[in-house]
Amino acid sequence: MSADSSAVQKKLVIALPKGRIMDESIEILGKAGLRLERSPDKRALIHYCEDADILEMRNNDVATYVELGVADVGIVGKDVLLESGRNVYEPVDLNFQNCRMSLITANGFDGEITRVASKYPNSTLRYLQEKRINAEVIPLKGQVELACLTGLADAVVDIVQTGSTLKANDLVEVDVLFESSARFVVNRAALKLRDKQLRIIIEALRNLAV
Amino acid sequence: MNFAPPNGTTYTLPATLRRRSDIVQKLRRLYTSWGYQQVDFPVLERYDSTHPHEAKSFKLSDRDNDLLSLRSDFTTATARMVQLHYPDFPHPLRLQYDGKLWQTVNPDIARTREFSQIGVELVGLSNAKADAELVFLAKESLREVGLTPRVEIGNPAFVATLFDLADIPSEERTALADAIDRKAIQELQERLERFQLATDLHQALLQVIDLYGDTSTLEIASERCPWPETQVIIERLKAIVAEFDDSSELLIDLGMARRHDYYTGITFRAYTFDFGQPILGGGRYDGILLPEAAGFALGLERIMGAQTDLDNDFQATIISTDDAKAAYLRSQGYSVERAVETDLDTLVERAKDRGIAFLVSGSGIEALSKGAKESSDLDRLEELLEQL
């Protein structure tokens, strides 16, 4: 029994979020030496490429696919990764999709914060506990700034990139929870079992992302 | 009436149970052949607020309002049994167990709330030879169930020792260990910059996340971390590896930084190819649950998820109207149903519907399907019946 049947390994599987981050990801992975190309079929969910298969998905799902090993590696924003609580390696900060997670209120609000709306309820709760702010978290799916403007919440926690949305709606950042950027994430088993292949990619990405 | 079992639990149907029993039998035999004696524990445990999985255990109330919990971990159960029944046993003591555990986790494809494990504990001594025996058995366990093993060994004491050398304040250690364990280079850099560390220690802590790979990693670690305190840990790992004639299936990760539960010494995990979850986990827990002990357990659901080439152990299914012939075939290891239908046509029709392959009657044996007619089982059964 057991001549090493593992010598021929399956193709690498990469989980990528759809949208602009996917193009940026394919570009940087290409520079790191992977021959990748989107399928011409716009509805394709899996892109079969020379050096890997790309799974196209919502950014919230990337960490799930990678932790469970359905994808070997993936690219996902630190904001989304932190919110997921998923257990993956994150050996490279790719230094794009840079933004910050901030606590936001209406301009001039000086009352006590009792309700905070967010698409990131876990990160929000952690922040509130750390700061000993006795407030309730209201999970929302999108357009959270609206919660502030309508009085659904006293404050919101959300991603700020340029700040233009805030300015346009007369909102202000009152605190920064953390800085975020895209991370290259790796399944725990895959990092060890595809050691040689992934070490080269990680090294290349680290050099590219400086 | 809702017949579906609670979320995260499932009925085990015959085909799955056959596979699970087969795995359990193979592994029990392996551990027995190495001198590990089988023990069993109650599913109901006294509630204990110091239990390592206290937060994750299901709680129940007893008649007198005493609190009980469902068994959530075999190592803790073993340690308590050893303390009660073997306080003065001449060591070492080798024990094996298997069965179900329950934890209040959110179920997904990697974990369920009810799950099965099989494992061993080697109690009563602590040295590299004992560590190596467990690592070897971990490797053989995967092989025994048809999986190609890779066993990864680390020791979170290595990172903790670097923290000691660098005088990292205790309140910073959890977050720092967590960043190292996730190999989160950016976060690690930021956190390390807060401390004014000597260059060699700063570098050692930064590079520890990349100290993984085959067993030559230990040589690299020796060079980068020349301190006597870290050398002790590296030497123990080298001594474990030295017990192996062939260490090509062993992996090292000195960046394992999080303490899982009760482990104090080496910790190890086993992986197999094209399966993204560890199949086995274990380690040494000297001084926590018992003075000197180590062990490991495999997740049976994980093994079944990782197995790809399933044994196609088609077993000829037989129904019989002839008790003497049936008794003889049973004695030869066949599984034979006794026909309870009174009408032969109904019997044949139902047997075909249920996928029964052969009908044995006073006049001999009859194949009930095309597949059965062409199978070599028919020849073998005919031969057996002729001998009768």
Side-chain angles (χ1 to χ4, degrees), chain B residues 12 15-23 116 145 147 275 279 299-308 310:
Chain B
T12 311
T16 307
L17 190 56
R18 230 178 2 249
R19 281 183 59 204
R20 195 166 76 198
S21 307
D22 177 60
I23 293 166
S116 316
V145 295
L147 302 175
F275 188 72
I279 308 279
L300 292 179
E301 290 79 9
R302 298 268 175 97
I303 296 174
M304 294 201 283
Q307 285 177 329
T308 46
L310 302 175

Side-chain angles (χ1 to χ4, degrees), chain A residues 36-56:
Chain A
L36 305 173
E37 205 174 289
R38 258 175 193 274
S39 157
D41 181 356
K42 287 252 184 282
R43 293 157 306 177
L45 300 171
I46 304 178
H47 305 265
Y48 300 97
C49 314
E50 184 90 17
D51 287 337
D53 293 340
I54 299 175
L55 312 180
E56 182 173 350

